[in-house]
Amino acid sequence: MDDLFVASLMTNDVKTVTPETLVETAADLMLDHEIGSVVVVDDDGALRGILTRTDFVAIVSGQKPKDQTPVSEYMTTDVQTAKGGDSIREVADRMIDAGIHHMPVVDDGEAIGMITTSDLTAYLSTVQTPSP
């Protein structure tokens, strides 16, 4: 597992929104694509934050957002990221330590993929343990 890299497991089709995107639009995007997060990027494509299902739980439990509530009101801005060449073991340890389920994969500050606990679980379920 030490020689396995994030790029081999990450999702390449990253769904993005801007900080001005309405929360409702972001929710529709997540539901339409059956994903648990969207990456928030600025007009140049640079990573600004992440909005996850967990963020929506906080929104619903607090107060209902108005129709004009932008994503920037709820997104996580202190985003843990990985690079495509990072080892899976290192990234899994970082995700566990941070208590997160989604980690954007970046190249020069731009989101190029997403690694999730589901990706890690799917990989581990296929790993064969050698016989003694």
Side-chain angles (χ1 to χ4, degrees), residues 4-127:
L4 184 66
F5 303 108
V6 169
S8 62
L9 294 181
M10 71 181 189
T11 301
N12 292 317
D13 186 21
V14 179
K15 300 302 178 197
T16 62
V17 296
T18 66
E20 296 77 28
T21 300
L22 299 181
V23 172
E24 181 178 314
T25 302
D28 288 341
L29 180 66
M30 291 168 63
L31 289 171
D32 289 346
H33 293 279
E34 298 180 353
I35 55 176
S37 65
V38 290
V39 176
V40 184
V41 298
D42 64 22
D43 292 335
D44 297 327
L47 179 69
R48 293 280 305 278
I50 185 170
L51 187 71
T52 69
R53 287 182 182 151
T54 303
D55 296 318
F56 279 102
V57 171
I59 292 166
V60 172
S61 69
Q63 61 182 5
K64 272 194 153 176
K66 298 177 183 167
D67 286 343
Q68 300 302 308
T69 305
V71 166
S72 60
E73 290 291 318
Y74 298 106
M75 70 184 186
T76 301
T77 57
D78 183 22
V79 183
Q80 297 280 327
T81 64
K83 294 184 180 180
D86 290 349
S87 81
I88 290 299
R89 182 178 303 274
E90 172 196 332
V91 170
D93 288 344
R94 288 177 46 214
M95 290 173 76
I96 290 167
D97 290 343
I100 58 175
H101 302 282
H102 305 87
M103 187 177 284
V105 181
V106 297
D107 183 21
D108 290 332
E110 289 190 27
I112 61 166
M114 180 72 68
I115 189 79
T116 68
T117 52
S118 295
D119 297 324
L120 297 173
T121 302
Y123 169 72
L124 289 175
S125 72
T126 64
V127 173

